[in-house]
Amino acid sequence: NQDKIGLILFSDQIVKYIPPRKGRDSVMRLVREVLAAEDDAKGGTDITEALKFLNGVQKRRAVVFLVSDFLGRGDCEKMLRATARHHDMVCVPVSDPAERELPDVGLVELEDPETGDLVLVDTSSAAVRRRFAAQASEETEELKRFFLKTGIDTLTIATDRPYIDEVRGLFKRRARKR
């Protein structure tokens, strides 16, 4: 549609900002930046600061897709609501099956992606696997309640299934609202 498209990559700080531009070259640059940025975005997550940055640089109303696992969201509800009042906001929580259940593979050292802390886990224990799955399920439900409370559109993506049906569903829901 020749719409402008931009990018803000963030962790606990702004990693990369590419102002919105039109054209195929701009889109291809964004794709390259996202693919190359994996190692640059280490550390915690600060959604509030990323949204403050967005609101500071993007004065005109825009469609904003906030893609995150939302595990380190902290206290971002107020800033999410403020951003959603100014922009057309869609939150895109991304999950991975490995974050929902542990395989039975014995002793495993796991790293907290937010803090870098390491912990040794005995995945051969059925009780440990059940507790892990229960905690993951509770976090998923909490995230659902969080988004219902904010009233912001969501597009839930999982790494173990195609995302196209979810994208279609989002646009159908949004078309019905109008």
Side-chain angles (χ1 to χ4, degrees):
N1 293 336
Q2 286 299 311
D3 293 332
K4 291 181 179 181
I5 182 170
L7 176 71
I8 300 172
L9 293 176
F10 67 95
S11 56
D12 57 346
Q13 60 189 6
I14 302 303
V15 174
K16 172 92 54 185
Y17 169 61
I18 301 173
R21 302 263 189 267
K22 288 183 182 183
R24 179 181 165 91
D25 290 345
S26 295
V27 172
M28 295 309 293
R29 177 177 179 210
L30 296 184
V31 170
R32 280 192 309 274
E33 292 292 344
V34 168
L35 293 174
E38 187 175 332
D39 291 337
D40 294 342
K42 298 287 185 196
T45 303
D46 194 337
I47 293 172
T48 299
E49 287 304 312
L51 292 173
K52 283 180 184 176
F53 180 83
L54 167 72
N55 293 332
V57 297
Q58 185 60 42
K59 300 300 184 187
R60 299 181 76 187
R61 184 169 174 79
V63 178
V64 173
F65 288 88
L66 177 59
V67 181
S68 174
D69 59 12
F70 290 92
L71 296 177
R73 69 183 176 276
D75 187 25
C76 68
E77 183 178 344
K78 184 177 176 182
M79 188 54 63
L80 272 172
R81 287 180 189 269
T83 303
R85 278 191 300 275
H86 185 67
H87 299 292
D88 182 3
M89 181 123 181
V90 178
C91 289
V92 185
V94 179
S95 66
D96 187 297
E99 296 169 343
R100 294 189 297 266
E101 60 183 64
L102 290 174
D104 180 357
V105 292
L107 290 175
V108 176
E109 189 172 54
L110 301 176
E111 180 180 355
D112 182 322
E114 296 294 318
T115 65
D117 293 343
L118 298 175
V119 62
L120 191 61
V121 177
D122 183 4
T123 64
S124 63
S125 165
V128 167
R129 291 192 313 274
R130 276 193 307 275
R131 282 194 308 269
F132 184 88
Q135 177 66 34
S137 179
E138 176 54 35
E139 288 173 3
T140 299
E141 289 305 311
E142 160 62 27
L143 190 59
K144 285 179 186 176
R145 288 189 297 271
F146 174 76
F147 286 125
L148 280 174
K149 186 174 152 185
T150 64
I152 297 170
D153 278 341
T154 59
L155 171 62
T156 303
I157 302 287
T159 60
D160 63 337
R161 61 181 190 260
Y163 60 85
I164 195 67
D165 290 337
E166 300 294 333
V167 173
R168 284 186 186 130
L170 170 73
F171 287 112
K172 285 179 183 175
R173 287 191 312 272
R174 291 170 67 92
R176 282 192 299 264
K177 283 183 185 179
R178 295 180 198 264

